[in-house]
Amino acid sequence: MNAAADAGIDWARVRADFPLLAREVHGKPLVYLDSANTGQKPASVIDAVDDFYRNHNANVSRAVHALGTEATEAYEGARRKLARFLNVRPDELVLCSGTTFALNLVAYSWALPRLQPGDAIVLTRMEHHANIVPWQLVAQRTGATIKVAELTDSGELDVDGLYALLTPDVKLLGLTHVSNVLGTVNPVREICREARRRGIVTVVDGSQAAPHRALDIAALGCDFYAITGHKMCGPTGTGALWARREHLAAMPPFLGGGEMIKEVRFDGTVFNDAPHKFEAGTPNIAGFIGLGAAVDYLSAIGMDHVEAREQALLAHATEALSAVDGVRIFGRAADKAAVISFLVDGAHAHDLATLLDLEGVAIRSGHHCAHPLMQHFGVPATCRASFAFYNTHDEVDAFVAALAKVRRLLA
Ligand code: PLP
């Protein structure tokens, strides 16, 4: 369809790497357009998890036997792969269950001991609840307040409005790199530079960025960056927090237990060095080995190719969807990831999603864990079609044809 997006890659073969995409739903070929919710997994990721349990299963960082060494090497190898993928140092990368955990770790370990009455936190209107509720909990306990940066009509951040909020009382700015509802890509590098000039610590939610474009976290200039593995072809229950080394060194542990200590005595415990200080208990070893395989997989395709392919699918879908009568698209940012939120006049989002499911098309409907954004648009819910590189242009057409049919049924 689009020569630049194809870039010599056999996308049909890429798609065939994902076993689940071959199945049918309600007797129709599956059209999976919910990758912003969770991504599908290539066989290499499934095989890596399977191989670990079949051949190497042991706990990490504890046993000296061969299996223990193999498991530890594979687990730490996954950390190194992920660090390379994100262009950060492995010892600055805390492995955890996902973005929700990562943001809570910053909230409880960095913000809670530091914030006090008179301090402020700035968030944006387009945050996922995972980047709102932890800050509300911290604000309640510290007496800090929360200020909200608003959006333009096209669903972009009002950047000047945001800068106007960055007054001397602001200690922390939390913002998403890419909106899970609007697809808006925020100018994170520029915003972090401005925040840093004012001495404000920045926490970036990268859940929807890491699966879709090449990331160079070291160049972004933020203080904390959170990712979640299951949206980037990896297993559920995997993710990471990147933090500047000085923050990790200064932060107390979030959870206590095994793995995160050097020595425990009843008169005091010496904690392990970062990042292990923040990784109490047995981790999701198989999951991280799977995430390492996911990173290998994405790197082999090349994130620039992933992005170009998804942009071509987005352009196609936006044009085709706009031609359906009564469709209202939310979010028209100039820089936008392959996510389209929409409503159809006179139809409830859940009805549309349910009827599309009967056509084999899986989209999400609801508030997308972004109530404040729904309040901004004055709607309780939207439908959201989200695309990944393994989708096809035929699927875009099948989705839009199914939507037009469903719309007629509901009219
Ligand atoms: N932030 C954004 C922008 C998201 O899209 C999501 C997941 O939907 C999250 C945070 C939470 O990620 P997880 O549930 O994997 O912790």
Side-chain angles (χ1 to χ4, degrees), residues 36-37 98-101 128 130 176 178 180 205 207-208 228 230-231:
N37 206 352
T99 295
T100 301
F101 188 101
H128 186 283
T176 194
V178 176
N180 63 315
D205 175 350
S207 311
Q208 299 288 348
T228 205
H230 67 95
K231 295 184 200 289

